[in-house]
Amino acid sequence: MAAHRRTLMQSQHQSWTDDLPLCQMCGVGTAPNCVYGPDGKGTQSHPMEDGHLRLRGEDGCFLYGVFNGYDGSRVANFAAQCLTAELLLGQLNSSHTDGDVRRILTQAFDVVEKSYFETIDDALAEKAHLSPYTLPHNENVGFHQLTPQSQKVQERLKELEQEVSGGATAVVALILNNKLYVANVGTNRVLLCKSSSDGQNQVQQIGRPHSTDNEEELQRLAALGVDSARVRQVGQIAGQSSTRRLGDYRVKFNYNEIELLSSAKTKPIISEPEIHGSHSLDGLTGFLLLMSEGLINALESAHGPEQVNQEIVAMVAAELAQQTSLEAAAQSVVERVKRLHHDAYVSGRQREAYRHEDMTILIRTLNYPLADGALTPTFPAPSGRIYPVSVPYSNSQSTSKTSVTLSLVMPSQGTLTNGTSTASTLEEGTPTPGSQSPTATLQSTNTQTQSSSSSSGDGSLFRQRGSQAAQPDETGRVPPYVDFSQFYRLWGNEHSDGQSTQGGLGPQ
């Protein structure tokens, strides 16, 4: 049976998992990797390597996952399909205890690892057979100077390396009996946001990434004879920051040839998941977030690592309050992170952030309301946190050291905390059940300082619009319900250098 499933998963035709029912209570947003040029324009450097799961099983079972592939998408895709086969074909049911679920999850990851290497066994064997026939490296000898037979060997070895290389990190969330279980291998992240009846919100990160700055992982490596201080200093092992991975035959079978790992007594990079749960979801209102390492790193590059969890939750809450579908909300969050990362680069504040990797976010709501579709703005609460949203304009003549952006001021319905006891400086509210979706006012701010002040609340930037849709005029346009004149005036003051801005930025 297991061999049959592997044959199905290796098929080049449509995956059998595509026929499984999708969960309609979640949305996924993605963006491919990007490398910026000197002009700020981005290009994709390699095909998308992330993967995800969002499936509904039987007996009230839901399975979600985000997979961060590298050196190709083969392992990420394989893991998504194989985990589905190991978890949604009757292995789980409502009678299972927490211990049973944790055991099944651990076994599923073990099967993924072993099954994947079975699929590349023949390629690895051929690679080992051909390796002795390669010539010693000589910079003075080009490929065209090799004998035809040596050229064929080199070409074949290159093909085999592409076939067997690569790995993935994975985070999986399982909901069974209305209880949440999380299994993590690597550097992806899971957040659980809880919204209380009084509007207060709590953000809980479930587990820590298995990375080269994780103290427990460094201790584990040190116990195997690895120089953990050196690992921390270098920050990467064979090109990745993760200390646990799926696949990647180099660090699993040839780790003695890797300088950082050469002193290890046994396999240092493992695929064993860390299991968290169960977390009861009874009576909980909020949402669950699964994010790839690329999205987290992009936001950290733009704003620093201190408040990333709170910021991403604030973005999600804002989008859920505006969008009428989870898919649109998730994609809008990714677009926000992309814009923030891009702006941090072109502004000169983070010139080292010249690229970001593939980004994926999965949002699973938990009794959390979406926007009702109404676009009529309302005024903010007396205090709110200004959240910068970049304005897509370009002025190649500008020499100003600052840039003006529109900012989103969300009502402060409560304080986000990281965990249950730590107060957050982020005063961003999320909607509570039955409440009207918060809408935003717009202000002009400086992107180099993140203000936490509130808007005046006078609503001067908004023109009231009735419940009926505005009718177009003779030109085919509808009257705007946001007045941007203040923004145009401030932008002109920043960029005019004493010259008139007539005929410049603004509606003509």
Side-chain angles (χ1 to χ4, degrees):
M1 181 65 180
H4 178 60
R5 289 199 301 265
R6 287 195 296 273
T7 301
L8 288 173
M9 288 183 287
Q10 294 171 48
S11 171
Q12 297 300 315
H13 298 91
Q14 183 182 24
S15 167
W16 63 270
T17 58
D18 292 342
D19 295 328
L20 294 177
L22 296 178
C23 173
Q24 302 301 319
M25 293 179 286
C26 78
V28 177
T30 63
N33 56 91
C34 181
V35 179
Y36 304 129
D39 58 356
K41 293 183 179 179
T43 58
Q44 186 174 342
S45 62
H46 58 76
M48 184 79 168
E49 295 171 334
D50 280 5
H52 64 268
L53 281 176
R54 45 171 171 175
L55 300 172
R56 173 174 57 85
E58 298 178 352
D59 211 3
C61 180
F62 298 89
L63 180 65
Y64 311 98
V66 167
F67 306 88
N68 177 31
Y70 59 90
D71 294 339
S73 59
R74 178 186 175 95
V75 180
N77 293 338
F78 183 91
Q81 295 184 44
C82 191
L83 279 173
T84 302
E86 296 301 321
L87 294 173
L88 292 185
L89 293 185
Q91 296 89 341
L92 293 163
N93 60 66
S94 58
S95 66
H96 281 136
T97 65
D98 288 352
D100 293 332
V101 174
R102 288 193 288 266
R103 174 179 52 80
I104 293 170
L105 282 169
T106 301
Q107 290 176 347
F109 275 84
D110 184 56
V111 170
V112 170
E113 179 85 344
K114 292 179 178 177
S115 298
Y116 170 71
F117 284 122
E118 286 179 10
T119 67
I120 63 172
D121 268 350
D122 292 343
L124 287 174
E126 184 181 356
K127 186 173 182 292
H129 174 72
L130 293 177
S131 294
Y133 295 96
T134 59
L135 297 175
H137 179 68
N138 188 337
E139 294 181 354
N140 298 321
V141 178
F143 180 80
H144 65 281
Q145 296 175 294
L146 298 175
T147 64
Q149 183 177 2
S150 296
Q151 289 182 4
K152 290 181 179 180
V153 170
Q154 294 290 339
E155 290 173 349
R156 181 56 181 159
L157 283 172
K158 185 177 180 179
E159 292 173 356
L160 290 170
E161 181 62 26
Q162 291 177 345
E163 183 178 341
V164 302
S165 64
T169 59
V171 64
V172 168
L174 175 72
I175 296 178
L176 181 66
N177 294 331
N178 213 30
K179 294 192 289 187
L180 171 67
Y181 304 84
V182 172
N184 181 47
V185 173
T187 49
N188 301 316
R189 187 173 299 187
V190 175
L191 300 180
L192 180 62
C193 179
K194 304 176 183 179
S195 179
S196 60
S197 58
D198 60 0
Q200 193 170 14
N201 296 277
Q202 296 177 345
V203 182
Q204 178 184 359
Q205 179 174 328
I206 301 179
R208 290 194 59 197
H210 302 129
S211 61
T212 54
D213 58 1
N214 183 322
E215 289 295 339
E216 293 182 358
E217 285 297 284
L218 290 174
Q219 292 176 12
R220 181 181 67 81
L221 293 176
L224 298 177
V226 176
D227 186 348
S228 60
R230 177 65 174 157
V231 170
R232 183 198 297 273
Q233 179 184 18
V234 174
Q236 289 190 336
I237 300 174
Q240 302 296 320
S241 63
S242 56
T243 55
R244 301 193 188 195
R245 312 171 190 175
L246 295 171
D248 201 340
Y249 82 94
R250 295 171 299 174
V251 298
K252 302 293 176 61
F253 302 138
N254 300 338
Y255 61 87
N256 288 324
E257 300 175 4
I258 300 173
E259 181 182 359
L260 276 178
L261 307 178
S262 58
S263 59
K265 302 173 185 176
T266 186
K267 185 188 300 182
I269 307 300
I270 59 178
S271 60
E272 179 182 351
E274 189 172 357
I275 311 294
H276 302 272
S278 64
H279 301 269
S280 175
L281 302 180
D282 289 337
L284 188 150
T285 298
F287 47 83
L288 179 70
L289 304 179
L290 277 66
M291 299 166 288
S292 67
E293 179 186 10
L295 184 137
I296 296 298
N297 288 346
L299 190 54
E300 287 183 348
S301 296
H303 282 176
E306 294 80 9
Q307 296 291 324
V308 164
N309 288 352
Q310 288 83 352
E311 288 198 67
I312 201 71
V313 166
M315 292 185 198
V316 171
E319 293 301 334
L320 290 177
Q322 298 177 54
Q323 305 293 342
T324 56
S325 77
L326 285 166
E327 207 74 10
Q331 191 60 44
S332 295
V333 170
V334 173
E335 296 302 323
R336 283 193 184 207
V337 175
K338 280 178 56 180
R339 172 61 64 177
L340 290 171
H341 185 271
H342 174 267
D343 288 355
Y345 172 77
V346 299
S347 68
R349 292 181 289 115
Q350 293 289 348
R351 295 302 290 182
E352 67 274 12
Y354 65 95
R355 66 177 299 149
H356 67 73
E357 282 300 328
D358 301 328
M359 296 191 288
T360 300
I361 185 170
L362 185 150
I363 303 174
R364 170 44 153 102
T365 54
L366 304 165
N367 304 312
Y368 195 91
L370 276 176
D372 57 7
L375 299 177
T376 304
T378 56
F379 304 144
S383 65
R385 193 240 189 186
I386 297 179
Y387 198 85
V389 181
S390 302
V391 181
Y393 71 85
S394 175
N395 184 352
S396 59
Q397 304 300 320
S398 172
T399 58
S400 172
K401 295 181 180 180
T402 61
S403 60
V404 178
T405 70
L406 294 180
S407 296
L408 215 55
V409 183
M410 297 303 297
S412 181
Q413 298 179 356
T415 303
L416 285 171
T417 57
N418 191 4
T420 57
S421 60
T422 304
S424 168
T425 59
L426 178 60
E427 297 180 354
E428 181 80 55
T430 55
T432 56
S435 66
Q436 292 294 324
S437 299
T439 53
T441 64
L442 297 171
Q443 280 192 342
S444 182
T445 75
N446 188 313
T447 56
Q448 293 197 352
T449 59
Q450 286 194 14
S451 170
S452 59
S453 63
S454 63
S455 74
S456 62
D458 61 4
S460 60
L461 295 181
F462 287 98
R463 300 171 184 169
Q464 291 300 315
R465 184 175 69 178
S467 59
Q468 297 298 320
Q471 297 300 316
D473 58 20
E474 63 275 4
T475 66
R477 299 180 178 180
V478 296
Y481 64 92
V482 179
D483 185 357
F484 286 93
S485 58
Q486 182 183 358
F487 165 73
Y488 295 137
R489 178 177 58 78
L490 290 172
W491 189 94
N493 291 340
E494 286 284 345
H495 297 78
S496 63
D497 294 330
Q499 300 176 4
S500 173
T501 59
Q502 293 296 325
L505 184 69
Q508 303 300 315

